[in-house]
Amino acid sequence: MTNGDPTLEGSRLPRIELVEADIDPAATHGFPPELLVQLQALPYALGNDTIHIAVSEPNDDLEPLLRPWTDANIALELAAPGTISRRLDEIAAARASLSSRADPNDADSNDGEAPTGPAVGLVADLLRHAAREGASDLHFVPGDRDMTVRVRVDGVVKPLAHVDEQLVPAVVGRVKVLARLDIAEHRHPQDGRFSMTIEGRPYDVRVAVLPTVVGEGAVLRLLEKTPSLQSLEQLGFTPAMAGEFDRLLDQPSWGALLVTGRTGSGKSTTLRSILDRVARPGVNVVTVEDPVEYRIRDVYQVDVSGGAGLTFPDALRGALRGDPDVIMIGEIRDADTARIALRAALAGHFVLSTLHTRNAAGALMRLTEMGVEPYVVASSLSAVLAQRLARRLCTDCREEYALDAETIRRLRLPAQHQPTEGRFFRARGCERCRDGYKGRVGIFELMTMTDRLRQLAAERASQLEIEVEASTAGSPTLWDDGLAKAAVGITSLEELRRVLV
């Protein structure tokens, strides 16, 4: 197999004339085909604890990238690029023909034809565990030697596992392979995504790989493709607030409804529930998102995350030419998007979007700070919904306790929600919940625009003035809504302090 000339253009790698008879199909076992294609590396022979791998060009980075996928010694040899590429295409085609029996992106697949190895199994197990826990994110945090794996469950990050030093490169490599990222890139952040079936449920997984001073880490966000749709009441709306929302959504002829809150506060879930209410027969709905998180039947959904240079303002201008009754914008991120969105609301469209502000009154200030004229803000807004997500107390183990009258007075608990004999509930922990909480509930503040609020917005009134007027008009604050839920044992005062203070 080896040519008499041991070098190629100064390389120290031996050169071989690779022919079909020299290739052992078993040599590729354990290597992700995507990795081999990206590196143009073909494992072709096994023997004497050594795996022979043909490569198309010398590269010092190849062996470290291939090392995590085999326990054998690696012998790299140069071969004609055409032969390697042709054989890799054949392997990829053969693997594709087995996709009905084994999907490499299926965390439940145990078929021997799927990529194997400790890193492959470990990543699959971690994804499966995260999905079972209902985690929104899976974190791979590099350390000086090993790697810590954590999950975010109900908004709180918890430790899950540790990865041994020897497996760290292979684990990060497996994540990159799944997300179709550049395996050889270690110095710059990379973003990708992949789809995966976990215990029969389809997930879309977004991946962010981050270079750090001690190695590469990764954050995986798990989005179930077909999550159960929740009503406004299930999200945590009080009957009074749900009734006000029904009034706003019954005839959404024009105006803008903004949902505000921090990242991870459930804004997208709320918007999806709202869209489900307004996307009825006779109403044409167009969404502009980055990226599209949940598919909605009979709705035009525009994805601006495809890397084709499409921006929110460009997509929004295009959406306005699509004869929409309702336009949903994933997020108002810049002045152009804000101006176009609010002017669309003034022009007779019902506009839904999100904004990052602390509370509902802050949305009016934020829009004017972005350069939108105050009279446009005042005239176009119908309502602003601010929200947070608080953990629900486990009903199996929550513990009742009493507060003294002075503490209740300082908490400003509304009279209609005063707890019996000053009693609240706190987390204890049991086998079902482990830490006293199970699931989350929304904490909301709905500010419906009145004539007086419109006047204040047009006059550039301060945020405090707007907050006072909204409260006078009967809009409960986030703290008021949270206390009402804590008083009946839905959540705890400790949790409210965590998410609201």
Side-chain angles (χ1 to χ4, degrees), residues 275-356:
L275 278 177
D276 184 66
R277 299 281 286 270
V278 301
R280 50 183 177 262
V283 177
N284 187 34
V285 181
V286 179
T287 75
V288 179
E289 304 170 69
D290 178 17
V292 172
E293 292 193 0
Y294 304 118
R295 295 300 307 276
I296 305 172
R297 184 179 177 83
D298 297 328
V299 169
Y300 294 104
Q301 293 182 269
V302 180
D303 192 332
V304 300
S305 66
L310 184 65
T311 65
F312 265 109
D314 291 340
L316 186 50
R317 292 186 185 96
L320 288 169
R321 294 191 288 271
D323 186 33
D325 298 303
V326 178
I327 302 171
M328 193 278 277
I329 306 162
E331 181 184 341
I332 293 178
R333 297 181 176 179
D334 53 61
D336 283 346
T337 303
R339 292 191 191 97
I340 297 168
L342 296 188
R343 290 189 180 278
L346 284 176
H349 305 283
F350 187 63
V351 177
L352 296 165
S353 191
T354 69
L355 199 62
H356 289 283

Side-chain angles (χ1 to χ4, degrees), residues 171-440:
V171 166
V172 176
R174 176 57 178 166
V175 170
K176 287 183 175 181
V177 166
L178 287 169
R180 292 178 171 81
L181 301 178
D182 186 349
I183 297 288
E185 176 57 67
H186 304 289
R187 294 175 296 178
H188 297 283
Q190 296 189 72
D191 296 318
R193 62 195 302 172
F194 62 91
S195 295
M196 174 168 276
T197 301
I198 305 175
E199 297 188 339
R201 294 181 295 172
Y203 284 83
D204 187 41
V205 183
R206 294 190 213 154
V207 177
V209 175
L210 308 170
T212 76
V213 293
V214 291
E216 288 183 293
V219 178
L220 281 63
R221 170 152 291 186
L222 281 68
L223 293 168
E224 192 172 357
K225 288 186 177 181
T226 55
S228 57
L229 186 64
Q230 292 181 292
S231 67
L232 297 178
E233 291 79 3
Q234 288 172 320
L235 293 176
F237 277 57
T238 63
M241 192 176 294
E244 181 69 10
F245 237 76
D246 284 337
R247 187 188 67 77
L248 288 168
L249 301 179
D250 272 346
Q251 306 231 340
S253 57
W254 69 279
L257 170 60
L258 300 183
V259 182
T260 77
R262 305 165 181 164
T263 299
S265 61
K267 300 186 296 295
S268 295
T269 301
T270 299
L271 276 183
R272 184 169 178 262
S273 294
I274 295 172
L275 278 177
D276 184 66
R277 299 281 286 270
V278 301
R280 50 183 177 262
V283 177
N284 187 34
V285 181
V286 179
T287 75
V288 179
E289 304 170 69
D290 178 17
V292 172
E293 292 193 0
Y294 304 118
R295 295 300 307 276
I296 305 172
R297 184 179 177 83
D298 297 328
V299 169
Y300 294 104
Q301 293 182 269
V302 180
D303 192 332
V304 300
S305 66
L310 184 65
T311 65
F312 265 109
D314 291 340
L316 186 50
R317 292 186 185 96
L320 288 169
R321 294 191 288 271
D323 186 33
D325 298 303
V326 178
I327 302 171
M328 193 278 277
I329 306 162
E331 181 184 341
I332 293 178
R333 297 181 176 179
D334 53 61
D336 283 346
T337 303
R339 292 191 191 97
I340 297 168
L342 296 188
R343 290 189 180 278
L346 284 176
H349 305 283
F350 187 63
V351 177
L352 296 165
S353 191
T354 69
L355 199 62
H356 289 283
T357 65
R358 186 177 63 86
N359 59 12
L364 279 64
M365 308 302 297
R366 178 73 181 119
L367 290 168
T368 55
E369 289 170 358
M370 293 175 77
V372 182
E373 298 87 344
Y375 78 89
V376 173
V377 175
S379 303
S380 60
L381 278 184
S382 297
V384 181
L385 177 73
Q387 70 177 70
R388 299 286 190 276
L389 286 177
R391 290 180 294 171
R392 287 181 181 269
L393 281 167
C394 173
T395 55
D396 287 354
C397 67
R398 64 186 180 184
E399 183 176 67
E400 192 175 357
Y401 69 103
L403 280 178
D404 59 82
E406 176 60 20
T407 301
I408 293 175
R409 186 189 65 78
R410 287 190 287 105
L411 287 173
R412 297 185 295 111
L413 191 63
Q416 65 271 31
H417 296 302
Q418 290 281 349
T420 303
E421 298 179 357
R423 296 192 182 279
F424 280 87
F425 296 82
R426 59 190 167 203
R428 194 172 71 180
C430 64
E431 290 184 0
R432 178 173 176 264
C433 66
R434 297 183 184 175
D435 59 359
Y437 297 95
K438 193 73 173 178
R440 290 194 283 182

